Amino acid sequence: MPLPDLLRRYAGLGLKALAGAGIGASSLALAAPSAGPAKAFEARFAPLYTTVFTEGGTFSGSAMSADLQALEPLLRQPGTAARDIFRLYYTEASVYARRGMPEEAAAAARKALAALPEPGSAELAYPHFFLRHSSIRWLADSGQHDAALKLVHSIQARYPLQRIASLPPEMRWDSSGAEPRALDFPSQLQILGVYEDEAYVLHEQGRYREAKQANMRLLAVARERLKALGMPQQLRGVLTNIAQNCYELGELDEARAYLQERLQIALAAQDDATVYDCYFQLMVLAHEQGQPQQARQWLSRYGQHAQMRRDGEQLARARELQAELESRQPRRQPSVEDRRTAP
């Protein structure tokens, strides 16, 4: 049971997961180009754009990236509109993100934002926000932590945590027209996600004390906001993250307390996947602390929950974990009396 299995890297179902709902590739209305190079670009770009952003559409990621890159020379001609440069690189960033290529996604986003530092129109406002918001994780996941933190702090300066209640609660989409239109952004949930990103980046840098402090500041506000929004279950991810900070700092009792709070929220929400994960992590934490009896108790609760849910797969996993846990317990040395009475 290695450490990565104990407290996984900021993968909880919490603010970031919820904030990301809807922060996908939004559409930009394709205005008709005037003439010349712009018309040639639009003729080739429009079908690619439609393919990328059509709900449920499928395409080859590598082929789409190659097709989009082939359009870049058309944008180097005199008189090219900044809007078209933004749209092309925005689309490239979205494709790279879907391909799991954060470094390339961040680079494309940087080019898009350099071409159009401010959205300038309602049409581009959400794609502009999407790139800035998403670039935090793209930069962090490609090892560019300082750049990620710089972006975090620029958004935080615009949306202080103390005034987050003045933002719309959740983002909505208006699908009444020909093109879906993003409404109510940034939302409270999205900006809470940005503050969660700050702690994530600090943790990735090994700055565990600072990460914990950032998470604690976030937790105090997130508790109040999520309660008001009727979404207390979304605290699960933040609690996992603080538990991980505590573990890295050697504050194991605190780590256990946050995991237990996460467990109670998951039980109330009937989130079985998180319940099993909590029991597992608490079992491993007890094992790490040299508390074999406590570890067995957490594993027993894991099995009981699986039995109550009639989950054969999890029952089988509980038996596997039991065997592994027992194999890791130190063998008892025979006492003097044992040796005397041995045949």
Side-chain angles (χ1 to χ4, degrees):
M1 301 173 196
L3 174 59
D5 284 335
L6 170 61
L7 296 167
R8 299 184 187 88
R9 193 183 76 169
Y10 282 65
L13 299 175
L15 300 173
K16 188 62 183 178
L18 190 62
I23 303 187
S26 65
S27 57
L28 293 82
L30 295 172
S34 53
K39 187 174 182 179
F41 167 78
E42 198 66 37
R44 293 173 60 183
F45 175 69
L48 300 178
Y49 173 88
T50 300
T51 300
V52 170
F53 295 126
T54 297
E55 177 120 11
T58 59
F59 55 87
S60 164
S62 57
M64 180 60 71
S65 292
D67 288 342
L68 291 168
Q69 288 171 10
L71 298 181
E72 292 178 15
L74 295 178
L75 297 180
R76 300 192 187 111
Q77 301 183 28
T80 299
R83 173 183 178 277
D84 288 339
I85 299 173
F86 176 88
R87 292 161 64 224
L88 176 62
Y89 286 117
Y90 162 70
T91 308
E92 284 193 21
S94 300
V95 173
Y96 282 130
R98 295 193 205 184
R99 295 177 64 191
M101 302 170 67
E103 185 173 1
E104 290 77 5
R110 186 163 50 247
K111 292 176 183 177
L113 294 171
L116 202 69
E118 294 296 331
S121 70
E123 173 200 4
L124 300 180
Y126 185 73
H128 198 276
F129 174 75
F130 164 75
L131 287 182
R132 294 178 71 231
H133 187 280
S134 299
S135 288
I136 298 169
R137 286 294 176 105
W138 294 340
L139 289 165
D141 290 345
S142 59
Q144 302 175 67
H145 299 112
D146 290 341
L149 281 176
K150 183 177 180 181
L151 188 51
V152 164
H153 294 154
S154 71
I155 297 176
Q156 288 178 339
R158 193 168 183 177
Y159 303 103
L161 196 57
Q162 300 88 336
R163 297 204 295 270
I164 200 168
S166 65
L167 297 175
E170 292 185 80
M171 181 183 151
R172 296 175 300 150
W173 287 86
D174 178 7
S175 300
S176 60
E179 295 280 347
R181 187 165 63 95
L183 305 172
D184 307 322
F185 67 89
S187 68
Q188 293 182 35
L189 294 172
Q190 288 168 334
I191 298 304
L192 286 172
V194 171
Y195 281 86
E196 188 177 21
D197 280 337
E198 178 187 22
Y200 169 80
V201 177
L202 289 168
H203 190 94
E204 289 295 285
Q205 288 183 295
R207 297 161 64 179
Y208 305 125
R209 180 65 62 188
E210 293 172 78
K212 181 186 175 184
Q213 291 169 349
N215 269 321
M216 293 300 293
R217 289 191 297 271
L218 170 62
L219 182 62
V221 177
R223 282 190 196 280
E224 187 270 331
R225 285 290 84 216
L226 292 175
K227 180 180 179 181
L229 296 174
M231 300 178 181
Q233 68 275 13
Q234 298 305 328
L235 278 174
R236 288 168 294 182
V238 182
L239 293 169
T240 304
N241 298 344
I242 300 178
Q244 185 174 9
N245 302 150
C246 292
Y247 185 91
E248 296 291 353
L249 292 166
E251 299 168 352
L252 304 187
D253 289 340
E254 277 195 69
R256 181 175 62 254
Y258 286 116
L259 287 174
Q260 287 178 292
E261 182 178 355
R262 178 185 181 231
L263 172 62
Q264 294 308 310
I265 292 174
L267 286 168
Q270 297 186 357
D271 175 8
D272 289 336
T274 301
V275 169
Y276 291 127
D277 186 61
C278 287
Y279 283 137
F280 173 77
Q281 294 193 38
L282 286 163
M283 176 196 72
V284 180
L285 184 59
H287 175 76
E288 292 274 331
Q289 290 186 283
Q291 300 172 351
Q293 186 59 35
Q294 186 66 59
R296 292 189 190 98
Q297 289 177 5
W298 288 120
L299 181 54
S300 176
R301 294 187 190 182
Y302 185 117
Q304 290 169 8
H305 191 81
Q307 190 169 26
M308 180 181 65
R309 293 298 192 191
R310 298 181 180 178
D311 190 329
E313 182 177 346
Q314 291 296 341
L315 276 171
R317 184 166 186 253
R319 288 192 289 269
E320 292 173 0
L321 290 172
Q322 178 69 37
E324 183 175 359
L325 184 63
E326 293 303 325
S327 72
R328 290 173 179 267
Q329 299 302 329
R331 295 185 180 276
R332 186 177 71 87
Q333 297 297 320
S335 66
V336 173
E337 189 64 28
D338 289 336
R339 288 194 293 270
R340 286 176 180 166
T341 59

